Amino acid sequence: MDHEDGNDIAAKELTRLWRTWRTIYEMLADRGYEVSEDELRITLSDFRYRYGAASGFPDRNKMKIKARPSQAMLHKYTALPSKANPNPQPDCGEIYVHFGPETPGVGTKEVREFNEIVSDGNYHTGIFITQVAISPSAMRMLQVIPDRICEYFQEQDLLVNITHHELVPKHVLLSPEEKLRLLERYRLKESQLPRMQVVDPVARYLGLRRGQVVKIIRKSETAGRYASYRWVI
C-alpha cells in the first residue's frame, strides 16, 4: 500500500511539473524566443521519459532550458537610433531557465549558484524557478548581476497559463517605431498613457520592462475588436 501511495504521489508531482514546463515554453514563445514545436507540445509520456527519475518523480537536474531571441524579438528590443547612439544594439539575448533544487527552503546559496550560471554562460536573462518561495535576502541577490535580467517564479505560478483565460485580453508589445507612431498620432507623451505595473501578472509573464508600451486587444460585441494601450512602469 505504501509503495502504491508513493507511486501515486510521484505521478501527481510529475504531472504537475509537466504542466509548469509547458507553460514555460509557451511563455518563451510568447515573448519571442525561438522554441521547438517538439518541446512546446510535449506530451506527458514524453516528459516522463526525458525528465523523469527512476523513482518516478521528476528530475529537476535535467530540466534546463536555453533559448535565443527571434529576429522579431530582436527588432522589438532595439531602440531607435539617436545622435548619442546611432547604432543601437538589441537589449535582449539568450535566456536560461533553471529549476531550483528539491529542498525545504531555497536561500542565498542556491541563488548564488544560479547567478554564477547566468554570468558564466553570458546569458542576457535568467529565470529561477522553485517549488517554495525563496527568502527575502535570496530575492535581493537575484538583482545583483550587472547587465543581466534575473526573474523568479514559483512552480505553482505557472501551472496554468494565465493568458489563455477568457477574461485576459491579448497583449502585444510595441516596437520602438510602433510606440513612436502611436504617440505622434495622438500627440501624447508616454506618461499620458494608462499605466501597467511591471509586477502585473501578464507583464511578468511577457517579461515586460519599464518604459515599454503594450497594445491590449479586447473583443467587443459592437466593434468586433478594439485596442487600448498601456505604458509599463
Side-chain angles (χ1 to χ4, degrees), residues 52-70:
S55 63
F57 284 89
D59 185 350
R60 288 171 174 78
N61 291 323
K62 297 179 181 178
M63 297 172 63
K64 305 181 193 314
I65 301 173
K66 302 175 186 178
R68 296 183 180 278
S70 64

Side-chain angles (χ1 to χ4, degrees), residues 17 20-21 24 60 63 65 97-101 128-129 155:
L17 205 53
T20 295
W21 182 264
I24 291 169
R60 288 171 174 78
M63 297 172 63
I65 301 173
V97 183
H98 182 86
F99 282 78
F128 189 52
I129 299 175
E155 291 175 7

Side-chain angles (χ1 to χ4, degrees), residues 30-197:
D30 288 341
R31 291 186 182 194
Y33 291 98
E34 295 178 341
V35 298
S36 70
E37 193 71 17
D38 182 46
E39 289 286 9
L40 193 59
R41 308 299 177 197
I42 189 170
T43 64
L44 177 57
S45 58
D46 283 343
F47 181 81
R48 182 184 297 110
Y49 175 76
R50 297 182 198 177
Y51 306 110
S55 63
F57 284 89
D59 185 350
R60 288 171 174 78
N61 291 323
K62 297 179 181 178
M63 297 172 63
K64 305 181 193 314
I65 301 173
K66 302 175 186 178
R68 296 183 180 278
S70 64
Q71 287 300 315
M73 185 178 182
L74 291 170
H75 174 69
K76 286 193 173 185
Y77 280 81
T78 303
L80 295 173
S82 63
K83 289 183 179 179
N85 187 11
N87 186 32
Q89 297 302 305
D91 189 17
C92 65
E94 191 171 12
I95 191 170
Y96 172 73
V97 183
H98 182 86
F99 282 78
E102 299 179 49
T103 56
V106 178
T108 56
K109 176 180 178 293
E110 291 79 13
V111 172
R112 188 178 296 109
E113 292 172 354
F114 166 75
N115 285 349
E116 289 175 358
I117 294 173
V118 173
S119 181
D120 294 345
N122 198 30
Y123 297 106
H124 180 276
T125 303
I127 298 180
F128 189 52
I129 299 175
T130 63
Q131 290 178 277
V132 297
I134 63 177
S135 66
S137 57
M139 183 71 78
R140 289 191 295 271
M141 187 171 287
L142 280 173
Q143 314 301 324
V144 302
I145 313 178
D147 303 319
R148 300 285 189 274
I149 295 174
C150 289
E151 305 172 37
Y152 166 70
F153 292 91
Q154 279 187 249
E155 291 175 7
Q156 64 185 24
D157 297 335
L158 301 169
L159 280 173
V160 176
N161 187 331
I162 59 171
T163 66
H164 290 176
H165 194 283
E166 61 180 4
L167 297 181
V168 178
K170 185 175 180 60
H171 289 62
V172 180
L173 174 64
L174 299 188
S175 68
E177 294 95 332
E178 292 168 332
K179 175 183 173 180
L180 179 62
R181 287 199 298 268
L182 172 72
L183 297 177
E184 288 179 341
R185 183 192 315 156
Y186 295 106
R187 298 180 181 179
L188 294 171
K189 296 179 180 179
E190 59 183 14
S191 58
Q192 293 176 295
L193 291 170
R195 302 182 179 190
M196 179 181 193
Q197 297 287 337

Side-chain angles (χ1 to χ4, degrees), residues 194 214-218 226-230:
V214 288
K215 180 179 182 179
I216 302 176
I217 305 169
R218 291 182 170 87
Y226 72 96
S228 59
Y229 300 87
R230 295 288 186 273

